[in-house]
């Protein structure tokens, strides 16, 4: 639950991936664009939209902590809840519509614009992994990875081609590899024809 990063519950999978790269791995927007194979403007827009959703969720969670609205209390009955997308959507929608909750949210975010209206300038917080829990989970993860690798091992006598990488160091998709093989084959044929004509 501590690693779930509840503030990011309202983001799409693309936004969440961009946030993970920018916040946890501390990549710049240009580096995020490179990793996600996006234009820099599109990567910045993706990060900005994700940050707005995080701010809206953070405000809704502040209302859960500070408010005394019965609807919010019913939605967040368990104080140790794991905030999912559906519950987050209901909380944010209720905070936007309920006058009491909106006042509580305004008190919680006093001095700043209403969450989601502008991209926040402040850096998003990094949630550190709890070291003891991470160390306890490591042997289980290694065992699962080994079992997965054994199942994926090719049959005896067959060879498995490893991943191919492009010039920037990223793995190439199988369709990219097929296109590259075709280009190399065409180049070889062209070179052979030219050599034959010259000879």
């Amino acid at each position: 639950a501590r690693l779930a990063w509840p503030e990011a519950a309202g983001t799409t999978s693309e936004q969440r991936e961009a946030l993970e790269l920018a916040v946890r791995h501390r990549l710049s927007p240009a580096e995020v664009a490179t990793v996600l194979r996006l234009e820099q403007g599109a990567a910045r827009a993706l990060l900005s939209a994700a940050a707005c959703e995080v701010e809206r969720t953070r405000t809704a969670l502040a209302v859960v902590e500070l408010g005394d609205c019965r609807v919010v209390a019913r939605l967040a009955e368990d104080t140790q809840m794991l905030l999912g997308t559906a519950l987050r959507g209901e909380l944010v929608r209720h905070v936007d519509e309920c006058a009491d909750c909106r006042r509580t949210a305004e008190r919680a975010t006093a001095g700043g614009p209403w969450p989601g209206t502008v991209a926040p300038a402040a850096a998003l917080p990094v949630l550190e992994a709890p070291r003891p829990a991470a160390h306890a989970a490591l042997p289980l993860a290694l065992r699962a990875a080994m079992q997965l690798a054994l199942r994926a091992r090719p049959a005896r006598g067959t060879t498995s081609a490893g991943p191919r990488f492009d010039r920037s160091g990223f793995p190439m998709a199988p369709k990219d590899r097929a296109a590259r093989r075709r280009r190399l084959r065409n180049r070889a044929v062209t070179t052979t024809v030219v050599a034959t004509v010259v000879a």
Side-chain angles (χ1 to χ4, degrees), residues 4-47:
W5 202 13
E7 290 91 346
T11 56
T12 64
S13 57
E14 293 84 7
Q15 290 172 338
R16 174 72 183 245
E17 187 173 5
L19 280 177
E20 291 280 350
L21 292 169
V23 177
R24 293 204 202 277
H25 298 282
R26 305 206 186 279
L27 297 184
S28 69
E31 292 169 327
V32 171
T34 302
V35 171
L36 298 180
R37 297 183 180 196
L38 297 171
E39 296 294 325
Q40 284 195 31
R44 286 182 194 280
L46 187 65
L47 284 167

Side-chain angles (χ1 to χ4, degrees), residues 172-190:
M172 294 171 60
K175 61 180 172 70
D176 295 339
R177 290 194 301 215
R180 186 168 181 262
R181 275 196 302 271
R182 277 196 302 276
R183 281 197 308 272
L184 289 173
R185 195 177 308 121
N186 290 343
R187 222 178 275 162
V189 168
T190 304

